[in-house]
Amino acid sequence: MDAIKQKIYELTETELKAANEKFPLFASSHEAYGVIFEEFDETRDELESLEYSIDQFWSDVKENSSEDVKNDRLTRIYEKSIDLAVEAIQTAAMARKGILSSYQKGDPAHGETTEN
């Protein structure tokens, strides 16, 4: 497995553990959807912010802006990329929490039921 992908799985599990210490498993698929969508929406916002920063950097390149200006823009791209990764990991963690919530609550859609 790709070493970076393995680290992402580990970070996702770390985020999941932290979230589970604060909040119980999801009570329903509706709750899971709401939380996952909130994280996804934040991920999308970060992606849009990153895209804007990249567009600004490209404008600076075309206009032959100073190296200081371009380096500031690159720093912003770097920071926004990290922010995007964090939000994506949080989205993944909440999806994982949804899986665990469904499984532990006996969701028939996952092949397990609480009825015997």
Side-chain angles (χ1 to χ4, degrees):
M1 179 180 294
D2 179 41
I4 293 173
K5 194 170 194 177
Q6 181 59 40
K7 292 289 185 187
I8 297 296
Y9 281 124
E10 291 169 13
L11 290 169
T12 299
E13 289 302 312
T14 298
E15 179 63 24
L16 176 60
K17 182 180 177 187
N20 285 342
E21 288 174 1
K22 290 183 177 180
F23 303 103
L25 292 175
F26 298 132
S28 68
S29 295
H30 289 88
E31 181 183 10
Y33 173 79
V35 173
I36 291 166
F37 186 83
E38 178 184 2
E39 293 301 336
F40 167 72
D41 195 43
E42 292 169 357
T43 302
R44 185 173 37 205
D45 289 346
E46 291 298 342
L47 178 60
E48 289 171 1
S49 181
L50 174 60
E51 184 177 27
Y52 176 79
S53 294
I54 291 172
D55 288 345
Q56 291 300 304
F57 176 67
W58 181 234
S59 292
D60 292 338
V61 169
K62 292 187 295 184
E63 294 169 6
N64 292 319
S65 295
S66 73
E67 290 304 310
D68 286 343
V69 168
K70 289 186 282 190
N71 282 335
D72 285 346
R73 199 72 76 186
L74 288 169
T75 298
R76 179 90 171 141
I77 291 169
Y78 172 77
E79 292 169 349
K80 296 315 299 176
S81 295
I82 298 298
D83 292 343
L84 173 61
V86 169
E87 291 298 338
I89 288 167
Q90 289 174 340
T91 304
M94 293 305 98
R96 181 83 175 117
K97 184 171 186 156
I99 293 165
L100 295 173
S101 298
S102 296
Y103 180 77
Q104 290 189 12
K105 297 208 182 305
D107 187 336
H110 291 307
E112 298 285 330
T113 64
T114 54
E115 301 171 345
N116 289 333

